[in-house]
Amino acid sequence: MEQDFCRLASEAGVELIEQKSRFIARGRSVEDETEAIAFLASVRSEYPDATHHVYAYALSKDSFRQRYSDDGEPSGTAGLPVLNVLKQHDLSQSVIVVVRYFGGTLLGTGGLTRTYGRAAALLIQKAGVERLISCRQFGLTVSYGDFDPLSRMLTHLGAKVQNTRFGLDVDLVVCVPRGLEDEFYRQVTELTRGSALIESAGEGFIVQAIDPAAEPDS
């Protein structure tokens, strides 16, 4: 059974300068490890002369997996802070790459940890976060007279109408959060006086935009 999870809402990039070093963070959502590695490769090819290409990703749709790399920075000062920011925001199916051009001034382990973490946090704020809520999909056929009250009921229930077709009757595809299937059946049957046709139509997710948590203190 699919589980709810949060991911980056869009592909984004941010840049900051710290003690003359240039940090460029890039990130996006990914379906699997193959996509995460391909994104890392694309960022490396875009900035081939960078001093470091630090990355972290978290995947949990199929089997929980986390990976990170300091890419030559002192151990635990680069990739791990980026991964920790992903975890603080409860993100999975997401990858962040932070490119660094060394500016000639050593930042120390504390400075590196703070700057890589801050770059990741700024990236998340720029990309946004969305929650994917696991649901069951249903096909519905209802009369025109029942359509408006049904729409209000579905909104109140937290279900999402994914497709609507108007013909002799109204055909809908509705995504119902898991655990609410019985209540969905009950309310639809009651509202339509048993006239609605209800068919199972598979599984999916309801996408819900959420505000990223505040940037961690640097």
Side-chain angles (χ1 to χ4, degrees):
M1 183 177 71
E2 299 280 14
Q3 301 294 322
D4 299 356
F5 66 94
C6 295
R7 69 182 182 187
L8 292 174
S10 64
E11 184 170 339
V14 297
E15 181 175 336
L16 66 151
I17 304 296
E18 183 67 30
Q19 296 294 316
K20 299 182 180 179
S21 281
R22 182 185 176 200
F23 293 82
I24 303 165
R26 298 280 299 277
R28 54 164 291 186
S29 65
V30 292
E31 285 296 316
D32 51 33
E33 193 164 28
T34 299
E35 278 196 17
I37 293 171
F39 181 72
L40 169 62
S42 71
V43 175
R44 280 177 169 160
S45 66
E46 188 174 352
Y47 304 98
D49 57 339
T51 315
H52 305 282
H53 300 87
V54 169
Y55 72 86
Y57 59 81
L59 307 168
S60 63
K61 275 180 66 177
D62 300 317
S63 59
F64 188 70
R65 182 173 299 174
Q66 297 176 341
R67 295 286 187 273
Y68 71 87
S69 171
D70 296 311
D71 194 36
E73 295 281 31
S75 179
T77 65
L80 184 57
V82 174
L83 179 61
N84 285 339
V85 173
L86 283 170
K87 292 164 67 176
Q88 288 167 13
H89 290 264
D90 195 29
L91 292 176
S92 64
Q93 304 309 125
S94 300
V95 57
I96 295 177
V97 182
V98 183
V99 174
R100 182 189 182 190
Y101 286 90
F102 181 56
T105 301
L106 296 175
L107 300 183
T109 57
L112 287 172
T113 299
R114 287 190 298 272
T115 305
Y116 277 106
R118 182 165 180 261
L122 290 172
L123 182 282
I124 291 171
Q125 289 182 346
K126 179 73 174 294
V129 174
E130 60 187 13
R131 176 178 289 111
L132 277 74
I133 301 170
S134 179
C135 71
R136 289 284 306 278
Q137 293 175 324
F138 295 92
L140 278 179
T141 300
V142 299
S143 69
Y144 277 84
D146 288 332
F147 175 65
D148 284 342
L150 176 74
S151 297
R152 291 191 292 271
M153 181 275 288
L154 292 173
T155 299
H156 183 73
L157 187 65
K160 183 177 180 61
V161 176
Q162 297 183 310
N163 188 40
T164 306
R165 184 176 65 84
F166 297 96
L168 293 177
D169 293 303
V170 184
D171 297 314
L172 308 93
V173 176
V174 180
C175 201
V176 179
R178 288 189 178 274
L180 296 177
E181 296 95 335
D182 289 346
E183 183 64 13
F184 165 77
Y185 271 103
R186 186 190 69 78
Q187 291 196 30
V188 170
T189 300
E190 181 179 296
L191 186 147
T192 65
R193 301 158 302 283
S195 65
L197 297 178
I198 308 174
E199 296 181 341
S200 179
E203 301 178 344
F205 289 97
I206 296 173
V207 180
Q208 179 184 74
I210 62 175
D211 291 331
E215 177 191 346
D217 294 336
S218 60

